[in-house]
Amino acid sequence: MTDLISIPLVAFPLIASMILLAFVSNGNARMRARLVGPVRMACLVFSLLMLVLTTGMFFRYFGDVTWMDIGFNEYEFEHKYTWIESLGINWAVGLDALSFPMVWLTTFLLPVTIIATWNEKHGATYFPLLLMMGGALIGVFVSLDLFMFYVFWELTLIPMFFLILKWGGKDRKYASQKFFIYTFTASVVMLLGLITLYFLQDPYSLASSGTMTGRSFSIPELIDNARANNIGDNWYLGAQMQKILFVMLMIGFLVKLPAVPFHTWLPDAHVQAPTGGSMLLAGVMLKMGAYGMFRLPISLFPHALYHFQLALMIIGMVSLVWGAIVCLGQTNLKKMVAYSSVSHMGVILIGIATMQPMGWAAALFMMFAHGIISPMLFAVCGAFKHHYHSMEIGAMRGMAKHSPWLATSMMFAWMASLGLPLLAGFVAEIMMLIALWKMISLDGWSIWWMVGPALVLALTAAYYLWSMQRTIFEGGEDTQPPASMKGHAIPDISNSEKFAMLILALFTIIFGVLPWIALDMMDDWTIQAFEGLIIPLLRGGV
Amino acid sequence: MSEISTVENVEPFGDGFIAALCPELIIFAGLLALIIIPNIGKGTFRIPGTQTRVMWLFGGERFKITSNPKLPAWIATITLGAAFVQTVLSFQDGVDRTAIVTESGTQLLLVNGFSRVFEMIFFGALTLAAFASMNRLEVKGIGPKLSTDDLYNNRRQADFYILMLTCGLGMSVVALAQDLFVLFIGLELASFSTYVLVAFYKESKVGTEAGMKYFIVGSVASGVGLYGLSMLYLWAGSLQFDVLAAQFIINGTDPLPLIGIGFVLVGFGFKVSAAPFHFAAPDAYAGASSPVAGILATASKAMGIIGLIRMLLIVASPEASEDGTVWLTLLGTISIVTMTWGNIAALGSTNPKRMLAYSSVAHAGYMLAAITAIGAWNWDDSLAGEPGEAAVAVLTAVIFHLVVLVAFKLGAFLVLSVLESDGDASRLSSLGGLAKREPFLAVAMFVFMISLAGVPPLAGFVSKLLVIMGIVKVAIGQMGAEIMAGGDYGLADVHWVWWLALAMVINSAISMFYYLRVGVVMFFEEPEEGRTGPLPAGWQVRFAILACLMATLFMGVASDQLLEICEVAAKSLNYSWN
């Protein structure tokens, strides 16, 4: 079967974006201004082609893959090429039910982001950077080799750094550098963990071991090896090492997620980032952290996961509650949405920490649902900023009258994010709550663990409804345009923004009403993962 | 790819001498050409007693081509380039192992994979620097109407490139030497050339000062080294590496050899700019013209590393003692101090050249950490694993790092060189708006910076990864197999060099601050007053930058070939490792 991933989904966007960048940066200012249109169109077409490909993959048009029954640690569209033989590094790609929704989400968000920010008068390099971002993100999700995974993991930082730095707000320099250094620091610790893991392998025990080092970077082989050794009370790599490595890897992923107390880069980056950057950052880049947790520490070190279950639960709860409390105090619309992301990422951590299949499925679905809803939140914020030149919640009142489209989109996005039934976010949240109940009743945890989520349900509703009340409804007929408009008439959002909002809203509804479209494969992966990972620990044998 | 396993002894000017020392002989020929060719003129010689005048080419009015001030640069570039190509080609089908011996059979020079790789580094760096320097040394044209200053400028072209060639010659002698004294001669030849090269930057006031500082501190360091050398001679009666190594196994823990080795290491520590011997480096780098500073940061540093490797891994070899070597703790401490000091000092420096100098100090720390790890490879009988294997892995990483460093460190200095010809590159704001003035240079500089920081998929990432991998490999050894057999080990059981790896990754994160700052200034700050126009032309320097850029990208994604070469080199340092 031809390789549908390496070139079309990873190499193509990266190379195409670099060519476009080189092309546009070589002209004078006038020529560059004239190139904006064609380059933007090219990026849209490229990203749409990628969306067609991944959608085709889902509908079994390309390659007859049934996403519902892929076993744990088995991959579809798998391809492997030797990269650095002496170190056991391969270019290995593949998809499973864990990574495919993320890949589809990336390809879906790329054109939507381009459309949503179509008219924001960005330079010609903006859209190629978005495309490059997409290629790097997909690279993270499809790689089945630790080295390749790390390369793409870091590569995502570069386009995002430039997106924030070039088109960001007032404090963009501070925010972009903080973002880069924060996540870079965490990921070099993760890198040291990966290398320690690499050298802890039994030499030449894995098929793709390097000729010089005798160790392998292959993720599937490592997971298989770990599974064979994580049986009963037997810890893969021994109890001490497994715990140390689990912590080192989790540092990288928790900062990326981000979880409290590592979250402070996120509000800065989001508030300063341009709309498109925020949309991709919240939509996909945060999910890299959750994805990485499932792919590496959880799959390799389930013993340590049990060991640190309480710690993860606490971090998750604190993120959930703290994020929500901070939201209440925000006067900046975008900062509020950013902290709500922190809160929602707490849901993912709690889902993982419940150690219930339902909880893991909730985490997976949360990754996906938040990936559709949060770009809409940021698109709304971006439109708000774009049209009213302000981000303050009180700046624009009575929006329902002046800008009905923006008001409707805002209301819809806010409702989706606070977990209105029949919208995608609700499915994930209710699953998480059920999993938490199950954990409490089956594993004998204290009932008090329900207090956090219950509190947050109320808090979330409070901050969203309160901000809506202050922007959409308050003031009514008598409102004057904000001072930042300098007396200009108040416009509603543009057609491309309307279109992007509609698409995002449509998919929020689709995945809220018919969650099984994505949930089935996630459920299946979770069950397989439990059978492959957790059951052997509990029963002491496969 | 491998090395021919038996050594062939060749006497000077015997069979195979030319083939073995081909790169050096090319340099030597180039040196002669550089001295002679620019002096060729229309001079004639009248045979006494007759009216016949014979053309003998010396003196008189020079030909148009020989008086071209650009000619020395071309001769030097072609010579160094030819030597570089020659060394690269020697890897194509197995490296010959040839020793140049005296009549009594003592090895003076040894040509093998190890020395070939270092020759490759030296000649590669010098070729690029010489080529790029064509745009640096001012040339005001040719002709009788030139002022004295201009004539003087034309004249010093040849001097500059002669020094480049002697520098290359000295460095390659260091790589080849099998005798500590020969090594020191090479080191001094190269050092004296670099002292003058640093002071050659006369367009700026700081040049002479920097040259003077570098010279004084450098000669003190060399003096201390020579003193140590004399102690070693007193102790062993010879300065041959193998004799010293054999002696060290017998009575290496006596004070005399330890003090002697310590003194020698001071000399090399200065060359690699390891703390606390690094104080002259930032001044020298900042005061030298950028291509020369690039040589100091790449080739000259590689030369110091050779000295360290020979002294620490051959003479005071880890095999000589049971549980790690005598210098292990000391070197480990120095490495952490060096990398941290370098990075923290770089954070505060606003002069890009000083910043690069401190980043060079930090990189020296990383390499010292790697060498420390080699010293630890036999730390525990049951856990350390195959002795040579780990040493080769780490040494491969060090050599790989030195090779790719030429691409991005020198490349960064060359970008600064273009700015220097524009006026000044001593403030961070000199880089302001570079992206608008010349996008190619800004992109190249950004790539070099993040490669220095170790961001994938660039060469700097692979080299840093390899070094960390080497250290971790030594620290963990056979623990994996032991764990599989049912053992339970934690970080407390891992050798302490593992923490050097942690120090390295944390330092990489610190270094991110100042590398990124360069990118921010180039892309998002306005140019300085009066520096908005296009940069001075010069295709040579841009070509050299392009070559560095290509190498940085290529070695990052396709490092397999180079890695094999480096492995051959590492294996051939100490044949008992195989």
Side-chain angles (χ1 to χ4, degrees):
Chain A
M1 199 166 69
T2 49
D3 188 348
L4 288 175
I5 301 174
S6 305
I7 305 250
L9 288 182
V10 182
F12 169 70
L14 288 178
I15 293 171
S17 60
M18 278 182 221
I19 292 173
L20 285 176
L21 281 176
F23 183 59
V24 293
S25 56
N26 257 340
N28 53 22
R30 254 183 65 234
M31 195 182 111
R32 252 178 283 171
R34 244 185 300 156
L35 278 174
V36 175
V39 165
R40 180 170 60 190
M41 188 48 91
C43 289
L44 180 64
V45 169
F46 292 160
S47 57
L48 280 175
L49 285 177
M50 284 155 66
L51 177 61
V52 167
L53 178 63
T54 48
T55 313
M57 280 175 167
F58 179 74
F59 288 113
R60 298 207 235 163
Y61 192 76
F62 305 110
D64 191 14
V65 172
T66 316
W67 294 101
M68 307 318 162
D69 37 52
I70 307 170
F72 175 67
N73 202 22
E74 281 171 24
Y75 305 91
E76 301 294 338
F77 299 104
E78 213 179 336
H79 282 273
K80 192 165 162 179
Y81 314 90
T82 308
W83 192 349
I84 305 177
E85 202 178 1
S86 47
L87 303 179
I89 296 170
N90 293 294
W91 173 283
V93 293
L95 285 172
D96 64 357
L98 174 61
S99 53
F100 179 72
M102 290 295 107
V103 172
W104 185 83
L105 187 64
T106 316
T107 53
F108 166 70
L109 284 183
L110 263 187
V112 172
T113 308
I114 293 174
I115 292 170
T117 53
W118 191 256
N119 283 328
E120 277 194 48
K121 287 210 178 68
H122 294 295
T125 47
Y126 172 82
F127 296 99
L129 279 174
L130 284 182
L131 194 62
M132 183 190 277
M133 185 78 207
L137 284 168
I138 294 174
V140 171
F141 295 128
V142 298
S143 46
L144 294 182
D145 183 281
L146 288 178
F147 180 82
M148 186 181 157
F149 175 81
Y150 186 79
V151 166
F152 282 110
W153 179 271
E154 295 289 25
L155 197 61
T156 53
L157 296 182
I158 297 170
M160 189 49 88
F161 174 70
F162 276 105
L163 280 173
I164 299 178
L165 194 52
K166 188 146 189 190
W167 291 279
K170 209 162 71 235
D171 292 327
R172 58 183 184 273
K173 278 181 197 159
Y174 169 76
S176 58
Q177 292 185 52
K178 183 173 180 181
F179 156 75
F180 202 115
I181 289 160
Y182 233 92
T183 50
F184 187 78
T185 312
S187 40
V188 287
V189 174
M190 177 180 91
L191 175 68
L192 186 59
L194 293 179
I195 292 172
T196 310
L197 165 68
Y198 176 80
F199 280 108
L200 280 172
Q201 295 164 36
D202 207 1
Y204 300 102
S205 59
L206 302 183
S208 56
S209 294
T211 51
M212 191 168 115
T213 55
R215 270 80 164 185
S216 166
F217 273 113
S218 164
I219 293 176
E221 289 175 22
L222 275 169
I223 294 179
D224 271 340
N225 195 12
R227 279 175 68 195
N229 288 289
N230 274 325
I231 293 171
D233 289 334
N234 191 26
W235 294 52
Y236 173 59
L237 301 181
Q240 296 182 41
M241 271 299 176
Q242 188 168 125
K243 286 179 210 164
I244 293 161
L245 291 178
F246 184 82
V247 170
M248 290 182 82
L249 298 191
M250 283 305 258
I251 287 176
F253 299 131
L254 283 177
V255 172
K256 198 68 153 196
L257 190 58
V260 177
F262 308 117
H263 66 290
T264 57
W265 64 268
L266 180 81
D268 284 318
H270 265 319
V271 172
Q272 301 303 329
T275 312
S278 291
M279 286 171 77
L280 280 184
L281 184 64
V284 200
M285 216 167 159
L286 303 187
K287 313 308 181 297
M288 279 163 57
Y291 168 81
M293 281 182 208
F294 276 109
R295 179 64 85 215
L296 295 172
I298 292 178
S299 296
L300 290 167
F301 311 124
H303 270 299
L305 179 62
Y306 261 116
H307 184 82
F308 290 108
Q309 185 184 4
L310 181 64
L312 285 181
M313 184 60 96
I314 292 172
I315 296 176
M317 283 291 177
V318 171
S319 302
L320 182 75
V321 178
W322 180 246
I325 292 175
V326 174
C327 276
L328 272 179
Q330 296 306 317
T331 55
N332 184 314
L333 204 58
K334 219 169 174 185
K335 212 160 191 165
M336 185 192 87
V337 172
Y339 274 109
S340 86
S341 282
V342 176
S343 181
H344 283 103
M345 293 299 108
V347 173
I348 293 181
L349 267 183
I350 294 173
I352 292 172
T354 54
M355 297 300 283
Q356 303 289 334
M358 177 78 94
W360 286 18
L364 290 181
F365 197 73
M366 192 62 181
M367 283 158 67
F368 189 71
H370 187 258
I372 293 176
I373 296 169
S374 68
M376 188 164 174
L377 298 175
F378 282 107
V380 167
C381 292
F384 195 89
K385 165 93 183 163
H386 185 194
H387 295 290
Y388 307 133
H389 313 292
S390 170
M391 216 69 213
E392 291 303 305
I393 289 180
M396 183 62 205
R397 286 166 189 264
M399 231 164 65
K401 172 143 177 74
H402 303 294
S403 320
W405 269 90
L406 182 57
T408 315
S409 312
M410 185 169 171
M411 196 154 151
F412 183 88
W414 267 218
M415 287 300 174
S417 186
L418 70 77
L420 198 72
L422 289 183
L423 299 179
F426 172 72
V427 181
E429 282 178 22
I430 198 77
M431 280 169 73
M432 186 273 284
L433 287 175
I434 296 171
L436 204 58
W437 273 118
K438 273 177 120 175
M439 180 190 82
I440 288 166
S441 58
L442 295 178
D443 299 346
W445 287 56
S446 160
I447 189 91
W448 290 101
W449 287 105
M450 282 309 289
V451 172
L455 188 68
V456 168
L457 281 180
L459 284 179
T460 312
Y463 65 74
Y464 274 133
L465 292 177
W466 191 30
S467 66
M468 278 200 304
Q469 185 251 330
R470 280 182 290 168
T471 44
I472 299 181
F473 302 115
E474 210 171 72
E477 299 285 329
D478 315 324
T479 44
Q480 296 301 315
S484 54
M485 292 304 293
K486 294 181 180 123
H488 291 286
I490 304 171
D492 205 348
I493 55 178
S494 66
N495 283 338
S496 64
E497 282 166 330
K498 283 178 197 165
F499 183 70
M501 303 282 187
L502 277 179
I503 293 280
L504 286 167
L506 179 67
F507 276 87
T508 312
I509 296 171
I510 289 179
F511 286 108
V513 178
L514 311 168
W516 49 264
I517 298 174
L519 193 54
D520 272 1
M521 65 168 95
M522 295 172 182
D523 250 345
D524 180 67
W525 187 87
T526 327
I527 289 163
Q528 303 267 10
F530 257 77
E531 276 175 11
L533 283 175
I534 306 297
I535 306 292
L537 301 189
L538 303 179
R539 292 215 194 110
V542 184
Chain B
M1 200 178 298
S2 65
E3 201 189 75
I4 281 113
S5 56
T6 49
V7 63
E8 189 190 347
N9 284 339
V10 174
E11 283 187 20
F13 304 107
D15 291 337
F17 179 75
I18 292 181
L21 287 188
C22 192
E24 284 72 30
L25 294 174
I26 291 176
I27 300 279
F28 190 68
L31 204 52
L32 290 181
L34 205 48
I35 295 170
I36 294 168
I37 292 177
N39 289 317
I40 290 177
K42 291 174 183 159
T44 52
F45 173 73
R46 186 170 63 87
I47 299 171
T50 65
Q51 286 299 317
T52 330
R53 284 181 174 273
V54 182
M55 231 11 197
W56 88 307
L57 300 174
F58 282 90
E61 192 193 340
R62 289 186 296 162
F63 296 110
K64 195 166 185 188
I65 182 159
T66 53
S67 63
N68 185 346
K70 294 252 181 211
L71 182 70
W74 281 106
I75 296 176
T77 307
I78 290 167
T79 309
L80 288 163
F84 173 71
V85 169
Q86 182 64 31
T87 42
V88 172
L89 287 181
S90 66
F91 280 101
Q92 207 155 40
D93 28 45
V95 186
D96 294 323
R97 203 200 307 175
T98 320
I100 312 295
V101 294
T102 61
E103 279 172 33
S104 56
T106 327
Q107 279 191 2
L108 289 178
L109 306 174
L110 179 65
V111 181
N112 62 6
F114 183 77
S115 60
R116 282 280 186 241
V117 162
F118 277 95
E119 284 170 351
M120 192 170 94
I121 296 172
F122 300 147
F123 298 147
L126 285 166
T127 311
L128 288 170
F131 197 50
S133 290
M134 280 188 208
N135 303 129
R136 281 311 306 283
L137 296 170
E138 256 181 281
V139 175
K140 287 272 165 59
I142 321 155
K145 287 175 202 150
L146 288 179
S147 69
T148 326
D149 273 356
D150 293 338
L151 282 172
Y152 181 70
N153 267 338
N154 285 356
R155 174 60 232 179
R156 72 190 186 118
Q157 298 282 328
D159 305 345
F160 185 81
Y161 292 101
I162 287 173
L163 287 167
M164 283 244 176
L165 290 189
T166 50
C167 185
L169 202 56
M171 285 173 174
S172 59
V173 169
V174 172
L176 294 166
Q178 285 299 298
D179 184 298
L180 202 46
F181 190 68
V182 178
L183 190 143
F184 241 88
I185 291 175
L187 191 77
E188 286 304 290
L189 178 57
S191 300
F192 272 90
S193 314
T194 47
Y195 300 148
V196 186
L197 282 175
V198 169
F200 225 95
Y201 185 37
K202 287 204 287 290
E203 291 89 334
S204 152
K205 267 188 289 184
V206 288
T208 330
E209 184 194 332
M212 207 58 208
K213 269 184 190 160
Y214 194 53
F215 168 66
I216 292 173
V217 181
S219 32
V220 169
S222 300
V224 174
L226 269 173
Y227 188 47
L229 211 68
S230 65
M231 285 176 154
L232 287 180
Y233 188 76
L234 186 67
W235 165 66
S238 164
L239 287 174
Q240 286 286 112
F241 284 126
D242 42 358
V243 177
L244 286 172
Q247 275 288 322
F248 193 83
I249 294 176
I250 301 166
N251 55 3
T253 45
D254 290 352
L256 183 65
L258 290 186
I259 294 171
I261 288 170
F263 279 176
V264 175
L265 291 184
V266 171
F268 296 130
F270 170 76
K271 281 278 158 245
V272 298
S273 50
F277 312 115
H278 68 279
F279 291 106
D283 286 329
Y285 287 35
S289 79
S290 290
V292 174
I295 293 176
L296 294 185
T298 56
S300 180
K301 170 181 263 180
M303 180 175 75
I305 293 282
I306 296 180
L308 285 178
I309 288 175
R310 296 264 196 224
M311 284 312 290
L312 295 176
L313 302 182
I314 301 288
V315 177
S317 150
E319 293 146 308
S321 42
E322 283 288 307
D323 42 340
T325 48
V326 282
W327 42 262
L328 200 60
T329 325
L330 178 70
L331 199 68
T333 319
I334 290 182
S335 80
I336 290 194
V337 171
T338 306
M339 64 176 92
T340 317
W341 193 332
N343 276 324
I344 288 176
L347 279 182
S349 50
T350 52
N351 178 343
K353 279 161 86 180
R354 282 186 92 82
M355 189 271 276
L356 281 176
Y358 280 120
S359 110
S360 173
V361 173
H363 277 86
Y366 303 152
M367 276 179 279
L368 290 184
I371 295 175
T372 313
I374 304 179
W377 56 250
N378 53 359
W379 53 283
D380 185 309
D381 288 339
S382 54
L383 289 181
E386 288 293 311
E389 197 193 330
V392 167
V394 185
L395 199 56
T396 308
V398 172
I399 296 173
F400 185 89
H401 182 84
L402 289 170
V403 175
V404 294
L405 198 62
V406 173
F408 46 83
K409 193 58 153 273
L410 186 59
F413 274 113
L414 293 185
V415 174
L416 292 182
S417 168
V418 180
L419 283 165
E420 253 173 26
S421 349
D422 184 43
D424 181 25
S426 66
R427 287 180 308 276
L428 203 54
S429 54
S430 323
L431 286 160
L434 191 59
K436 288 197 192 83
R437 300 176 73 192
E438 192 163 338
F440 163 69
L441 289 183
V443 168
M445 189 68 172
F446 185 72
V447 170
F448 297 145
M449 284 298 121
I450 57 175
S451 180
L452 279 168
V455 174
L458 303 168
F461 166 67
V462 179
S463 77
K464 204 169 267 180
L465 179 82
L466 284 170
V467 171
I468 296 175
M469 275 172 76
I471 296 174
V472 171
K473 184 185 168 100
V474 171
I476 287 178
Q478 297 292 84
M479 205 168 273
E482 294 283 320
I483 284 171
M484 287 297 160
D488 185 13
Y489 295 94
L491 278 188
D493 306 302
V494 169
H495 193 276
W496 59 262
V497 291
W498 189 87
W499 297 97
L500 291 182
L502 189 66
M504 254 187 86
V505 296
I506 291 171
N507 264 292
S508 312
I510 298 176
S511 69
M512 210 66 228
F513 279 97
Y514 57 85
Y515 291 129
L516 276 185
R517 200 170 53 194
V518 172
V520 174
V521 171
M522 285 189 308
F523 285 92
F524 302 106
E525 275 179 16
E526 291 306 312
E528 285 180 325
E529 280 295 295
R531 293 187 74 173
T532 45
L535 287 159
W539 64 271
Q540 290 96 335
V541 66
R542 285 174 180 76
F543 183 82
I545 292 170
L546 183 67
C548 289
L549 181 63
M550 287 295 157
T552 307
L553 295 171
F554 184 74
M555 304 296 188
V557 293
S559 46
D560 220 6
Q561 283 276 318
L562 182 63
L563 210 55
E564 271 180 50
I565 291 180
C566 294
E567 200 189 346
V568 169
K571 278 183 178 162
S572 60
L573 174 69
N574 186 340
Y575 291 99
S576 65
W577 286 347
N578 298 328

